Amino acid sequence: MNTTTNSVSQLPIHDVAVIGGGPGGYTAALYAARSGLDVVVLEKLSAGGQMATTNEIDNYPGFPDGIDGYTLGEQMQKGAERFGAKTILAEVLSAKLDGLVKEIETDTGKVLARTVVLATGASPRPLGLPEEESLRGRGVAYCATCDGMMYRGKTVVVVGGGNTAVADALHLAKICQKVYLVHRRDSLRAPANSVKALTQHGVEILWNRKVTEILHDQLVTGVRLTDTKTGEISDLACDGVFVAAGRIPDTQIFRDEVKTDEAGYLVADETTRTNLPGVYAVGDARTKAVRQIVTATADGACAVHFLEEYLAEQEHHHEQ
Ligand code: NAP
């Protein structure tokens, strides 16, 4: 389709605006661009989303030796751009998505589109401890791949019991002198062989323990732990705390219009259709059981299938 312009604002009206340049977003952009649609991707930082902060990805097929997330993100971007998708580096501030022409306000101006793919992903969930935020960058970190090198030869604590905590602990075990994994229960959410892998890499797992205080002077000096079974309190000296306590979907700015579940995920099934016509939710920001790169890319392809149907219906109504 050709880009038309809004007669009042003279802004182009794109066929598709994708919000978020992670794997879901750039797959939607690739499929849409290959179908000849005019598509823009709005990305605030760089391609890849959360994936870009992962050192080694071994569960995305096609890369037998693994690939780092930053490179994979760049390649997904290039793949979409080869067919004409455009990337606008901008942060989306608000959006009005219920009309036929969707209006997106960004820090570099307004973007108009007939359809919108919401691909904003999710961000690390803080532990919610006092001073956690003020100690960020002074011993408290949320991304082992990004900040791990600052703790070379030091002692760190990873908090959490999911896939991220396991991956972070294994990554840090290659860099740090000592890694503890602190988990509030007695079993991980990660695959069963994870405990063996962690132990083999020298990670010490402290089960049934919650971090109840971050100890510090100028920098973090340790954590205070409370045993969730006995209530016993103990202090553990460390230089860094890597929080891997799950994620919060980055959907705040859409929640007035787009239906979300109680955790803030955008409600959409495998069709990726949201409650608003012409608005689709893909990747980690969508309600789903398995949040992986492959499921995000699959969502991107599905979104374009259904948005093409929607655009064709609109065209049909217009012609009648
Ligand atoms: P997650 O699976 O939701 O796990 C979060 C962990 O943090 C849980 O173990 C939870 O404990 C713990 N937790 C939550 N709040 C806490 C608090 N206030 N204090 C202490 N602990 C707290 O999150 P994730 O590991 O970030 O993974 C998110 C999604 O991405 C998952 O679907 C995961 O499979 C996927 N992922 C996959 C890979 C991979 O395949 N390699 C890598 C990274 C992420 P409880 O267990 O007690 O609830």
Side-chain angles (χ1 to χ4, degrees):
M1 272 185 210
N2 291 322
T3 311
T4 51
T5 54
N6 180 293
S7 53
V8 181
S9 65
Q10 288 303 312
L11 283 172
I13 304 175
H14 303 286
D15 292 325
V16 188
V18 177
I19 304 181
Y26 270 116
T27 305
L30 169 66
Y31 273 72
R34 278 198 81 210
S35 289
L37 297 173
D38 159 41
V39 50
V40 288
V41 179
L42 307 173
E43 168 55 46
K44 65 177 172 189
L45 200 61
S46 65
Q50 287 176 80
M51 180 179 84
T53 65
T54 304
N55 241 352
E56 189 170 325
I57 293 167
D58 291 322
N59 56 3
Y60 188 73
F63 299 93
D65 301 319
I67 183 165
D68 75 277
Y70 188 84
T71 305
L72 185 54
E74 272 188 337
Q75 293 192 2
M76 287 182 178
Q77 177 178 6
K78 280 187 194 152
E81 289 177 352
R82 179 154 77 95
F83 293 96
K86 293 199 176 58
T87 299
I88 300 174
L89 272 186
E91 181 165 358
V92 173
L93 305 172
S94 64
K96 207 176 162 308
L97 302 174
D98 61 349
L100 280 180
V101 175
K102 324 289 182 198
E103 298 179 23
I104 302 162
E105 294 291 347
T106 81
D107 59 356
T108 64
K110 192 185 276 213
V111 173
L112 304 179
R114 292 186 183 84
T115 63
V116 175
V117 177
L118 303 174
T120 45
S123 297
R125 175 194 290 127
L127 293 173
L129 295 171
E131 299 188 69
E132 180 180 351
E133 181 55 35
S134 63
L135 288 166
R136 202 178 180 136
R138 292 192 290 136
V140 174
Y142 297 84
C143 172
T145 316
C146 321
D147 299 333
M149 277 304 169
M150 293 197 289
Y151 298 88
R152 179 177 280 283
K154 301 202 166 161
T155 297
V156 296
V157 167
V158 176
V159 188
N163 273 314
T164 303
V166 172
D168 284 4
L170 289 173
H171 174 67
L172 292 166
K174 291 185 216 150
I175 304 167
C176 302
Q177 198 216 334
K178 177 77 193 170
V179 179
Y180 294 96
L181 181 78
V182 172
H183 182 35
R184 62 185 179 184
R185 291 187 300 115
D186 61 2
S187 66
L188 299 175
R189 282 175 191 268
N193 60 358
S194 305
V195 174
K196 197 170 160 209
L198 289 165
T199 315
Q200 272 172 353
H201 287 82
V203 176
E204 192 170 328
I205 309 175
L206 302 176
W207 302 107
N208 300 316
R209 239 76 54 108
K210 268 198 103 157
V211 175
T212 42
E213 205 178 321
I214 302 172
L215 310 171
H216 63 94
D217 39 40
Q218 280 297 90
L219 301 173
V220 166
T221 56
V223 285
R224 181 152 296 162
L225 302 175
T226 303
D227 191 306
T228 53
K229 291 243 154 88
T230 63
E232 191 185 313
I233 292 171
S234 58
D235 289 352
L236 179 65
C238 68
D239 307 292
V241 181
F242 283 83
V243 178
R247 305 196 178 266
I248 302 173
D250 290 329
T251 56
Q252 286 82 348
I253 54 174
F254 309 119
R255 286 183 199 172
D256 285 346
E257 287 188 301
V258 184
K259 203 171 159 207
T260 54
D261 70 3
E262 65 286 350
Y265 290 97
L266 302 165
V267 175
D269 62 14
E270 297 301 308
T271 66
T272 76
R273 288 189 188 116
T274 67
N275 57 307
L276 295 180
V279 179
Y280 306 83
V282 306
D284 281 8
R286 175 170 86 79
T287 47
K288 56 159 71 179
V290 182
R291 295 197 166 83
Q292 294 283 314
I293 302 166
V294 278
T295 61
T297 56
D299 281 0
C302 291
V304 174
H305 175 84
F306 290 103
L307 77 75
E308 280 190 284
E309 247 179 41
Y310 167 83
L311 285 172
E313 275 165 28
Q314 295 298 315
E315 199 88 331
H316 185 66
H317 283 303
H318 192 69
E319 280 164 9
Q320 276 182 339

